[in-house]
Amino acid sequence: MGDMANSSIEFHPKPQQQREAPHAGGFGCTLAELRSLMELRGAEALQKVQEAYGDVSGLCRRLKTSPTEGLADNANDLEKRRQIYGQNFIPPKQPKTFLQLVWEALQDVTLIILEVAAIVSLGLSFYAPPGEESEACGNVSAGAEDEGEAEAGWIEGAAILLSVICVVLVTAFNDWSKEKQFRGLQSRIEQEQKFSVIRNGQLLQVPVAALVVGDIAQVKYGDLLPADGVLIQGNDLKIDESSLTGESDHVRKSADKDPMLLSGTHVMEGSGRMVVTAVGVNSQTGIIFTLLGAGGEEEEKKDKKGKQQDGAMESSQTKAKKQDGAVAMEMQPLKSAEGGEMEEREKKKASVPKKEKSVLQGKLTKLAVQIGKAGLVMSAITVIILVLYFVIETFVVKGQVWLAECTPVYVQYFVKFFIIGVTVLVVAVPEGLPLAVTISLAYSVKKMMKDNNLVRHLDACETMGNATAICSDKTGTLTTNRMTVVQSYLGDTHYKEIPAPSALTPKILDLLVHAISINSAYTSKILPPEKEGALPRQVGNKTECALLGFVLDLKRDFQPVRERIPEDKLYKVYTFNSVRKSMSTVIRMPEGGFRLFSKGASEILLKKCTNILNSNGELRSFRPRDRDDMVKKIIEPMACDGLRTICIAYRDFSAAQEPDWENENEVVGDLTCIAIVGIEDPVRPEVPEAIRKCQRAGITVRMVTGDNINTARAIAAKCGIIQPGEDFLCLEGKEFNRRIRNEKGEIEQERLDKVWPKLRVLARSSPTDKHTLVKGIIDSTTGEQRQVVAVTGDGTNDGPALKKADVGFAMGIAGTDVAKEASDIILTDDNFTSIVKAVMWGRNVYDSISKFLQFQLTVNVVAVIVAFTGACITQDSPLKAVQMLWVNLIMDTFASLALATEPPTDSLLLRKPYGRDKPLISRTMMKNILGHAVYQLTIIFTLLFVGELFFDIDSGRNAPLHSPPSEHYTIIFNTFVMMQLFNEINARKIHGERNVFHGIFGNPIFCTIVLGTFAIQIVIVQFGGKPFSCSPLSTEQWLWCLFVGVGELVWGQVIATIPTSQLKCLKEAGHGPGKDEMTDEELAEGEEEIDHAERELRRGQILWFRGLNRIQTQMEVVSTFKRSGSFQGAVRRRSSVLSQLHDVTNLSTPTHVILSAANPTSAAGNPSGESIP
């Protein structure tokens, strides 16, 4: 770019000539002046610039910058500009502090109940009424005096409080690290964002945050403008300002009509250069942020403003995307405006309906609610039975009278019962679920970073595991995007390799060199290789680089031509866009008149050619018949070799006949063809294998490209997208539209359904076609499953398709900002193989959560039944409150960490996608859960009722209040934990594999956690004493506990032997919120149950959503990640059944309602009953 500098000497103000009013820091404009200037639009703005500065170059002089050379890259000058005009950075919202997170974790209902119970228990243990010794309260307090145990009554309460504190700290820490990871991800996305500026006459890519006022920035198609500026020179520039103004029409910008460019707007067409006039909080976007700035924080911000800007921890830019991946600018202000908690609550409420849950979240919410209900019922029954038994035993059977002085003793009993009830509830409610999801997703996202997937919306990661179709671009994704010209047609000759320059007529050669050098973006160039022996570096548009490379291969150079005709001397440029599929540039000839150079897709441009150059470089006429010949003999053979064909042409206008430049069709017509070139873009060597993997995994890959159909078909065959002998369709955009539209030109879904299942290649397609295809596949109801579609895109116009898809992949290297903005995942290496990695990780997330569920539910079932039956038979839960909380900690926090961090294996790609309706808990898993539960319950009840005989110790049953912990109950507790530890190893496999140790050492986290838990368990049992209700065990007793634990692994093998298919009685659980097809009879049968079940559901639901707010909050796992994250969530899908309380009334599927109401009869109408064993 800097090469043009030489020609434009007029703008080189010598700094010492600046004798303007001494303004801020020696610059000719104050901050306020520039801010008010940027508020004007169109003609007013132009008038203001002319009045105040003469013209744009006057403004540049005042800002001490040169329109062609840019700023001198001098650190002091840049720093001074930052101090006067601010940095290009908007301070992010303060993250929640650790204490705030602790406070939030404390809001959990079950924990509050426990805290209250513990405090009551503490209070009562300190209150010793005078009547306690009286005989009247009888055996109630017998044994309480043993070794002054009465004084130790407070320990249980204190221990419960302590374990509550543990749980709260763990939860808060998890939230905190999650937030931190999210911010890390944000700043990573931001640092990757660079913008082209000219400094010292060199075109540089600088991070957006480093832009300063006075920089000369190069804007081009697809950019998201990072700062406000005034246009110096532009070609056919059109901007989408809808993010600021809400107007959807593209605004034409030009230096002489409307030169104002605003931050946060998108360049939809054209290119140009602007001088940056406002950055950060002073830019238009920044001003909106500040106005909406967090209400109360406004004042503090003013004091902090200085500090914050120096110590800007993150380069969080002006941009919308910056703030936190918000999808559109308009949403943005709302985000940074969460002033208080209140507003945030409001915002959460507001955003719930907008964001449909991802498949997994829908299934999990549903499951959690079902499990939680069961737990609530169980705990209530436990408490009622305990209280009734006690009252009847004491007052009816023994005929005692309730004495006033005995009240505290009785109350103490009631509190104890209440605590037992609550612990049953605590164990039953799987609060580890959201944790497992979060950890699993966070871990995957971190690791996906290494696999070149930058995940912008967390749930995209999990959705990817369900993908059934991928619509991929060709260029750059399936191919290397390093293009070279390999064939050409020049002067009536078809050259299969680069011709020798001597073989060409000088006139043709000269025209060709000029046509290529001038009619391409001046930002595209070929630089010498970085290392010896490497290939030259291609900078800018790859197709143009191929053509420039062709010029170099012909032993000519494009640089001198560009220096002679710098960019600002170009008379008119029609930039490339997806509608034109061509680019044209007009220059003024030295001897008067104009010449137009044009290049573009050969079949489009050849239709506009009326002449062609023959071997002597003279014109001969080119009729439609000649054109058909050319297509058959030259273009099709090239295309069948997988080459892209580009036509290069020109046209002369005499000075007398200057056309109307706005009428493009007239100008770009009547052309003379100079050459046709065939550009090769080789397929990436790793792609065919990746596509094979996809097809094996049940994912259909389709190629959607703007290329000619023969080229597309050739490349698709090379990649393995189409195989000989298969029944497939390759269509062009026009034909595709003809097939899917009716007479009125409207798209009909049933027509589309006939086309897409066999469609493999869509060529010459427009972005609208891509969007139509994606939408058609997603909305289709033909298959038994709704399709989950992933799409790749790089261009500005791919935005709608990327947004519509379930998962949008944007290209990190070739992608425009607009595409990245609309995407869910950014491929940092633009490689198709990375998409396959994403599928693997997505499936892994799903499996990790199933593993965790299998483990968690076994523990839940056992713990609840033990606590419940134990309490009913012996008036005391064999597992004490504190022990229950420890078990809860193991199975929730630690197990979720251990099982959610299993690395993915290639075997994940050997099965078909699960689909949206596949239950979370398959039959195999249900078999494992119930099988292991049977084993554990048998052991524990044996120990409970005859354990004392077996070990020859005192029975722990019917122990009075405050009695010391018994060995008997300690053994039960210890055995229980041992069985959980070994079952955790069993839980590593969910598809009924036999070798549960496979790859266990590949997961250090898992090993550490299992061993760590074991060590802590030893400490608890041997030294836990009263707080943990444990008494130390002998070596022999320990060995028995371990022996029973290891039995779990053996039992696991026994269970694996039972074929799942025989167990028709098992139901799966945790169905997706999809619609299950049912036959009419079944529907009719289900009718009566529905109303009853619905009523029941609705009541329960209200209780639930109030009471166990925890689950709901945590179930929007991703919402924590996205507390600052995308407003209009990444996944647009049918609303999930439980997405909101009031939706429960219109539950559409009998199956689900009945499942919730635990009515097994007609749940059998579930077609996806059979699962993969």
Side-chain angles (χ1 to χ4, degrees):
M1 277 255 67
D3 329 313
M4 315 170 314
N6 333 356
S7 62
S8 35
I9 303 134
E10 66 269 23
F11 319 116
H12 275 279
K14 298 273 187 310
Q16 55 269 42
Q17 294 169 358
Q18 291 207 308
R19 290 279 166 270
E20 281 149 354
H23 271 75
F27 292 109
C29 312
T30 59
L31 182 57
E33 240 175 76
L34 289 174
R35 264 179 78 153
S36 60
L37 169 67
M38 292 319 293
E39 279 160 18
L40 305 173
R41 303 278 180 274
E44 292 177 61
L46 201 62
Q47 190 184 345
K48 174 82 195 266
V49 171
Q50 284 163 352
E51 284 169 10
Y53 313 106
D55 59 0
V56 181
S57 50
L59 175 62
C60 292
R61 272 200 295 280
R62 292 261 193 114
L63 289 172
K64 296 192 178 168
T65 177
S66 139
T68 48
E69 291 283 303
L71 294 175
D73 207 348
N74 140 3
N76 296 339
D77 176 47
L78 297 179
E79 192 41 52
K80 189 169 160 197
R81 287 173 191 271
R82 283 197 191 101
Q83 278 168 0
I84 296 171
Y85 298 115
Q87 297 174 308
N88 195 16
F89 150 80
I90 293 176
K93 182 171 176 283
Q94 289 295 314
K96 287 203 167 125
T97 59
F98 188 68
L99 285 175
Q100 282 171 309
L101 292 170
V102 168
W103 177 244
E104 274 178 23
L106 276 170
Q107 310 298 310
D108 173 25
V109 180
T110 35
L111 286 182
I112 291 174
I113 299 175
L114 268 182
E115 287 154 24
V116 172
I119 289 165
V120 172
S121 153
L122 267 178
L124 287 169
S125 70
F126 290 128
Y127 171 64
E132 178 151 8
E133 283 73 40
S134 72
E135 276 305 300
C137 308
N139 66 349
V140 172
S141 48
E145 278 77 47
D146 295 2
E147 317 132 40
E149 280 291 346
E151 283 73 75
W154 60 274
I155 292 183
E156 187 168 23
I160 293 179
L161 281 181
L162 195 69
S163 44
V164 165
I165 290 171
C166 272
V167 172
V168 166
L169 287 177
V170 168
T171 316
F173 179 73
N174 276 309
D175 285 348
W176 178 77
S177 55
K178 210 156 54 175
E179 179 101 358
K180 188 158 157 266
Q181 270 183 337
F182 184 74
R183 301 225 162 219
L185 195 71
Q186 266 330 102
S187 58
R188 160 100 194 233
I189 292 178
E190 284 154 13
Q191 281 151 15
E192 297 218 327
Q193 178 108 27
K194 294 205 163 36
F195 210 76
S196 313
V197 297
I198 300 172
R199 289 188 182 162
N200 272 343
Q202 296 294 316
L203 187 66
L204 306 175
Q205 294 281 325
V206 300
V208 168
L211 287 178
V212 294
V213 169
D215 255 327
I216 304 294
Q218 185 78 36
V219 298
K220 58 182 185 312
Y221 155 84
D223 284 341
L224 181 90
L225 298 181
D228 292 354
V230 179
L231 192 63
I232 300 176
Q233 168 261 326
N235 305 321
D236 203 11
L237 198 59
K238 286 192 185 145
I239 307 265
D240 172 8
E241 292 190 348
S242 59
S243 53
L244 284 180
T245 59
E247 297 291 327
S248 57
D249 296 344
H250 297 171
V251 187
R252 220 171 233 282
K253 299 282 178 182
S254 61
D256 50 1
K257 290 201 181 64
D258 179 1
M260 298 316 212
L261 301 178
L262 308 173
S263 59
T265 58
H266 291 134
V267 182
M268 299 314 270
E269 244 181 75
S271 61
R273 276 178 313 164
M274 70 169 185
V275 55
V276 176
T277 54
V279 293
V281 278
N282 302 308
S283 66
Q284 289 305 297
T285 316
I287 292 171
I288 293 178
F289 275 137
T290 334
L291 287 179
L292 286 152
E297 296 168 15
E298 197 61 278
E299 269 53 64
E300 308 162 37
K301 244 193 207 152
K302 286 200 179 94
D303 319 333
K304 284 194 205 156
K305 180 66 70 60
K307 293 180 222 160
Q308 255 184 356
Q309 288 193 344
D310 312 335
M313 328 89 59
E314 300 182 60
S315 58
S316 136
Q317 291 67 351
T318 356
K319 312 275 239 332
K321 145 179 201 181
K322 302 305 162 249
Q323 242 357 12
D324 353 35
V327 180
M329 193 49 234
E330 310 92 291
M331 308 314 306
Q332 208 37 46
L334 296 173
K335 300 239 108 80
S336 53
E338 304 158 351
E341 276 298 68
M342 220 17 244
E343 274 180 11
E344 191 163 346
R345 285 284 137 74
E346 288 304 318
K347 189 189 111 225
K348 260 203 180 125
K349 272 185 215 148
S351 67
V352 170
K354 284 187 191 146
K355 166 88 177 76
E356 296 182 49
K357 286 205 183 80
S358 73
V359 187
L360 186 65
Q361 270 175 292
K363 291 179 183 177
L364 281 175
T365 310
K366 202 155 185 206
L367 194 66
V369 168
Q370 288 168 11
I371 297 172
K373 273 187 191 165
L376 201 57
V377 173
M378 292 290 275
S379 62
I381 298 176
T382 313
V383 175
I384 293 166
I385 291 181
L386 284 171
V387 172
L388 283 177
Y389 188 99
F390 175 76
V391 171
I392 293 170
E393 170 81 5
T394 315
F395 301 119
V396 180
V397 181
K398 297 196 177 148
Q400 290 187 4
V401 191
W402 183 302
L403 296 173
E405 62 268 26
C406 290
T407 309
V409 182
Y410 297 145
V411 171
Q412 219 159 343
Y413 264 106
F414 291 143
V415 170
K416 180 177 154 188
F417 299 152
F418 182 61
I419 288 180
I420 292 172
V422 174
T423 32
V424 171
L425 177 64
V426 170
V427 175
V429 172
E431 58 272 51
L433 260 184
L435 192 64
V437 180
T438 310
I439 291 175
S440 181
L441 284 174
Y443 172 76
S444 305
V445 167
K446 216 172 180 151
K447 292 285 190 213
M448 283 169 79
M449 213 67 157
K450 294 199 175 79
D451 285 337
N452 302 311
N453 283 292
L454 179 74
V455 181
R456 293 184 66 231
H457 300 134
L458 259 199
D459 39 6
C461 163
E462 161 256 317
T463 313
M464 209 41 222
N466 285 327
T468 54
I470 298 176
C471 296
S472 170
D473 275 356
K474 176 180 78 68
T475 311
T477 314
L478 299 173
T479 58
T480 53
N481 205 6
R482 187 183 170 88
M483 304 201 190
T484 42
V485 172
V486 287
Q487 294 189 19
S488 51
Y489 178 83
L490 283 156
D492 289 345
T493 327
H494 183 177
Y495 296 95
K496 292 284 172 113
E497 56 255 350
I498 305 289
S502 53
L504 301 174
T505 322
K507 180 182 174 190
I508 296 188
L509 193 54
D510 205 49
L511 264 171
L512 184 65
V513 171
H514 275 78
I516 293 175
S517 312
I518 294 168
N519 184 29
S520 58
Y522 279 28
T523 47
S524 302
K525 40 179 176 266
I526 292 191
L527 301 176
E530 282 173 336
K531 290 194 202 71
E532 276 297 304
L535 292 166
R537 281 180 299 158
Q538 298 187 340
V539 183
N541 180 308
K542 300 294 190 231
T543 313
E544 294 184 341
C545 289
L547 295 170
L548 295 170
F550 184 49
V551 170
L552 297 176
D553 289 340
L554 291 169
K555 309 283 181 283
R556 300 289 291 267
D557 191 2
F558 56 87
Q559 209 50 59
V561 180
R562 287 181 172 183
E563 280 166 13
R564 253 197 334 276
I565 306 177
E567 200 167 11
D568 36 26
K569 290 270 174 29
L570 301 177
Y571 189 76
K572 171 91 183 142
V573 179
Y574 301 96
T575 49
F576 180 88
N577 66 24
S578 58
V579 181
R580 292 190 185 122
K581 289 213 188 293
S582 67
M583 168 179 180
S584 311
T585 304
V586 182
I587 54 169
R588 197 179 276 244
M589 300 300 278
E591 62 278 6
F594 301 94
R595 176 168 286 173
L596 167 124
F597 290 116
S598 194
K599 67 165 190 287
S602 53
E603 57 263 54
I604 293 175
L605 218 52
L606 279 179
K607 289 191 179 121
K608 300 180 175 173
C609 290
T610 50
N611 293 299
I612 187 164
L613 296 178
N614 65 11
S615 47
N616 305 323
E618 287 140 11
L619 303 188
R620 71 178 163 79
S621 70
F622 185 68
R623 296 179 299 283
R625 196 178 61 241
D626 302 329
R627 188 173 68 236
D628 297 340
D629 264 5
M630 171 91 102
V631 168
K632 261 198 212 64
K633 295 204 179 105
I634 311 294
I635 292 173
E636 280 183 4
M638 280 189 188
C640 292
D641 293 341
L643 305 185
R644 291 177 67 173
T645 51
I646 301 274
C647 171
I648 300 169
Y650 80 106
R651 177 183 180 182
D652 283 330
F653 297 95
S654 65
Q657 55 168 68
E658 181 168 350
D660 166 15
W661 297 113
E662 290 311 309
N663 183 352
E664 188 187 335
N665 290 344
E666 196 139 302
V667 176
V668 185
D670 198 11
L671 303 173
T672 304
C673 170
I674 307 173
I676 305 276
V677 292
I679 296 181
E680 181 184 46
D681 185 5
V683 171
R684 287 175 182 261
E686 63 273 34
V687 162
E689 175 54 24
I691 287 183
R692 238 188 334 275
K693 278 186 183 162
C694 281
Q695 289 162 341
R696 207 179 319 139
I699 302 169
T700 313
V701 183
R702 293 180 175 83
M703 182 163 107
V704 182
T705 172
D707 254 348
N708 150 337
I709 187 140
N710 297 320
T711 313
R713 194 184 283 123
I715 298 246
K718 280 185 195 165
C719 295
I721 292 179
I722 52 182
Q723 266 125 10
E726 265 187 4
D727 181 16
F728 58 80
L729 284 174
C730 295
L731 297 178
E732 285 205 332
K734 279 201 183 104
E735 171 65 9
F736 172 69
N737 276 308
R738 199 184 56 66
R739 290 197 186 190
I740 61 170
R741 292 174 191 272
N742 59 17
E743 298 68 50
K744 297 190 193 126
E746 293 155 351
I747 295 167
E748 283 185 2
Q749 186 66 44
E750 55 269 27
R751 288 179 181 230
L752 231 166
D753 288 342
K754 290 197 186 86
V755 175
W756 73 257
K758 288 184 181 173
L759 184 68
R760 289 292 176 274
V761 176
L762 184 58
R764 282 279 173 245
S765 66
S766 66
T768 338
D769 295 340
K770 194 177 197 173
H771 181 253
T772 309
L773 177 66
V774 172
K775 183 172 182 307
I777 298 180
I778 290 181
D779 293 347
S780 168
T781 48
T782 49
E784 61 277 12
Q785 298 276 344
R786 136 137 151 60
Q787 297 274 318
V788 177
V789 185
V791 168
T792 67
D794 51 9
T796 307
N797 38 34
D798 289 330
L802 288 170
K803 270 204 181 111
K804 176 69 193 162
D806 295 293
V807 183
F809 287 91
M811 300 297 145
I813 303 168
T816 56
D817 294 347
V818 184
K820 290 179 188 172
E821 195 72 358
S823 70
D824 303 309
I825 297 181
I826 296 174
L827 293 179
T828 48
D829 63 346
D830 288 15
N831 193 338
F832 187 81
T833 336
S834 305
I835 300 179
V836 182
K837 294 255 176 59
V839 173
M840 218 153 86
W841 276 108
R843 292 186 172 189
N844 192 47
V845 168
Y846 205 96
D847 279 7
S848 297
I849 286 159
S850 298
K851 286 171 192 173
F852 173 70
L853 267 176
Q854 177 174 305
F855 174 70
Q856 164 114 30
L857 292 179
T858 315
V859 188
N860 275 6
V861 170
V862 177
V864 170
I865 295 179
V866 169
F868 174 68
T869 40
C872 298
I873 299 169
T874 65
Q875 288 86 70
D876 183 10
S877 164
L879 298 172
K880 299 291 183 290
V882 183
Q883 296 173 350
M884 286 279 213
L885 283 167
W886 163 235
V887 168
N888 210 23
L889 199 68
I890 304 180
M891 59 181 214
D892 280 358
T893 311
F894 295 154
S896 57
L897 245 178
L899 291 167
T901 52
E902 290 273 313
T905 57
D906 273 343
S907 59
L908 287 168
L909 292 176
L910 299 177
R911 61 170 174 76
K912 299 276 176 275
Y914 278 147
R916 307 174 68 85
D917 303 328
K918 161 101 171 49
L920 268 178
I921 299 174
S922 63
R923 277 212 182 139
T924 315
M925 286 168 64
M926 199 55 118
K927 177 185 76 176
N928 292 344
I929 291 170
L930 297 178
H932 288 294
V934 169
Y935 173 81
Q936 297 186 8
L937 287 171
T938 316
I939 298 277
I940 285 176
F941 283 134
T942 313
L943 285 176
L944 180 58
F945 296 114
V946 291
E948 70 270 25
L949 307 173
F950 180 78
F951 283 108
D952 191 24
I953 46 177
D954 296 335
S955 164
R957 296 194 300 280
N958 300 331
L961 203 60
H962 301 320
S963 55
S966 64
E967 284 186 18
H968 183 189
Y969 275 14
T970 309
I971 290 177
I972 294 179
F973 166 57
N974 199 18
T975 311
F976 182 64
V977 174
M978 289 301 121
M979 291 193 293
Q980 299 325 327
L981 274 184
F982 286 99
N983 195 27
E984 195 165 335
I985 299 175
N986 276 329
R988 292 183 67 241
K989 301 290 176 224
I990 48 174
H991 296 304
E993 296 92 333
R994 286 208 168 265
N995 180 5
V996 288
F997 290 101
H998 177 70
I1000 192 164
F1001 296 113
N1003 187 357
I1005 301 182
F1006 185 87
C1007 304
T1008 320
I1009 284 178
V1010 173
L1011 296 173
T1013 316
F1014 185 61
I1016 299 174
Q1017 179 64 16
I1018 297 178
V1019 174
I1020 288 178
V1021 172
Q1022 298 306 92
F1023 311 106
K1026 181 78 190 186
F1028 281 96
S1029 321
C1030 287
S1031 81
L1033 301 179
S1034 65
T1035 319
E1036 186 193 357
Q1037 290 163 333
W1038 263 102
L1039 287 173
W1040 274 110
C1041 295
L1042 264 176
F1043 169 71
V1044 173
V1046 177
E1048 267 290 341
L1049 294 173
V1050 182
W1051 184 248
Q1053 295 302 315
V1054 176
I1055 297 180
T1057 321
I1058 308 170
T1060 311
S1061 47
Q1062 302 304 305
L1063 303 170
K1064 289 275 183 282
C1065 51
L1066 290 181
K1067 280 286 145 288
E1068 307 104 328
H1071 285 270
K1075 299 183 171 50
D1076 287 349
E1077 293 83 31
M1078 291 179 76
T1079 60
D1080 300 84
E1081 301 90 70
E1082 278 165 322
L1083 275 174
E1085 268 176 44
E1087 285 302 321
E1088 307 86 78
E1089 286 125 329
I1090 288 182
D1091 308 334
H1092 159 79
E1094 250 197 29
R1095 269 203 302 282
E1096 207 248 13
L1097 234 178
R1098 228 166 300 161
R1099 261 209 317 282
Q1101 213 80 33
I1102 290 167
L1103 265 176
W1104 256 95
F1105 277 90
R1106 282 191 200 139
L1108 289 164
N1109 175 316
R1110 165 87 173 272
I1111 297 181
Q1112 190 199 24
T1113 333
Q1114 284 196 316
M1115 271 348 253
E1116 310 156 5
V1117 168
V1118 190
S1119 85
T1120 349
F1121 260 85
K1122 297 189 174 166
R1123 180 158 299 143
S1124 39
S1126 143
F1127 211 73
Q1128 306 147 304
V1131 185
R1132 285 106 349 222
R1133 295 220 193 86
R1134 295 182 201 149
S1135 161
S1136 116
V1137 179
L1138 291 176
S1139 68
Q1140 250 186 335
L1141 216 179
H1142 56 258
D1143 292 357
V1144 171
T1145 46
N1146 43 19
L1147 273 173
S1148 54
T1149 49
T1151 318
H1152 303 313
V1153 182
I1154 289 152
L1155 268 175
S1156 326
N1159 182 333
T1161 52
S1162 77
N1166 166 15
S1168 51
E1170 198 50 74
S1171 70
I1172 310 161

